[in-house]
Amino acid sequence: MELRITNLAVARAGVPVLEGVSFALRPGQALVLRGPNGIGKTTLLRTVAGLQPALAGDIAVAAESVAYAAHADGVKATLTVTENLAFWAAAYGSGGVAAAMAAMDLASLADRRAGNLSAGQRRRLGLARLLVTGRPIWVMDEPTISLDAASVQLFAGVVRAHLADGGAALIATHIDLGLEAGVLDLTGHKAKPPAAGGRVGTFDEAFG
């Protein structure tokens, strides 16, 4: 399952942030996005994931092939670890809850409510959602936030296994995950601001 981006331009709060972004991501490949804070990595990932429209360019990807992991963990505090993953597995029409818990070292926490987890445990639960989506392209925004060194290595192993199984990964991260991955520095793609600092379009990503 391939993801192909051609001459993409994206905006944050109506202001262009990136332009002319092109790359291809094929099965078994990982690509790491780099660039200073605020350059637009999150906006680019949200656009690729279909959460907001692009200003220009083309995103060629099969429908329902992308799973997105944002800064927020996206877990329901009142549900247990098992219930959270079962909810998402049902939403995606997939399974593999027990395997996802094992992969992210959550089995011993299966019956604990998410609201009672530590920040690192909640992050591992949020990332375990990727495993129950059944989707081949993982788009991840700083996935190692709140993870200790051991959990970072655990997650890196999960990503390597996903790639070895023919999946693909697009990651914005400042951490070296030890993956064989390409690197795309977005610094050279910073968009020129519109005349007089004007906005373009009316979409507000806060509601995307």
Side-chain angles (χ1 to χ4, degrees):
M1 195 72 66
E2 181 175 297
L3 167 67
R4 184 173 294 275
I5 303 299
T6 306
N7 203 29
L8 194 68
V10 300
R12 179 173 57 241
V15 178
V17 290
L18 294 170
E19 61 187 9
V21 178
S22 298
F23 62 85
L25 190 61
R26 299 178 177 85
Q29 292 184 332
L31 180 66
V32 174
L33 302 179
R34 293 280 166 78
N37 289 337
I39 196 168
K41 296 186 294 292
T42 294
T43 303
L44 176 61
L45 293 177
R46 284 174 53 85
T47 305
V48 171
L51 298 178
Q52 67 180 74
L55 288 180
D58 183 62
I59 301 172
V61 64
E64 298 185 350
S65 63
V66 174
Y68 178 55
H71 282 141
D73 297 320
V75 301
K76 296 182 180 294
T78 59
L79 299 183
T80 66
V81 167
T82 301
E83 289 168 342
N84 266 282
L85 291 176
F87 171 84
W88 286 106
Y92 284 96
S94 61
V97 170
M101 286 194 293
M104 292 305 298
D105 194 23
L106 293 166
S108 64
L109 303 171
D111 297 323
R112 186 174 299 182
R113 292 184 185 277
N116 295 327
L117 299 175
S118 70
Q121 290 166 343
R122 283 196 304 273
R123 191 58 174 168
R124 282 190 278 129
L125 174 56
L127 293 172
R129 289 189 306 148
L130 291 168
L131 290 159
V132 301
T133 64
R135 296 190 171 186
I137 301 173
W138 292 357
V139 175
M140 297 170 280
D141 194 358
E142 298 293 347
T144 60
I145 288 175
S146 300
L147 295 184
D148 59 21
S151 295
V152 169
Q153 292 307 308
L154 178 71
F155 175 65
V158 168
V159 176
R160 278 193 291 270
H162 179 65
L163 299 176
D165 197 37
L170 178 63
I171 315 169
T173 180
H174 296 289
I175 302 296
D176 183 3
L177 295 175
L179 303 172
E180 291 187 10
V183 175
L184 176 60
D185 190 337
L186 295 173
T187 304
H189 295 281
K190 186 174 181 180
K192 300 177 181 64
R199 292 163 59 93
V200 293
T202 57
F203 181 83
D204 188 337
E205 68 180 20
F207 298 96

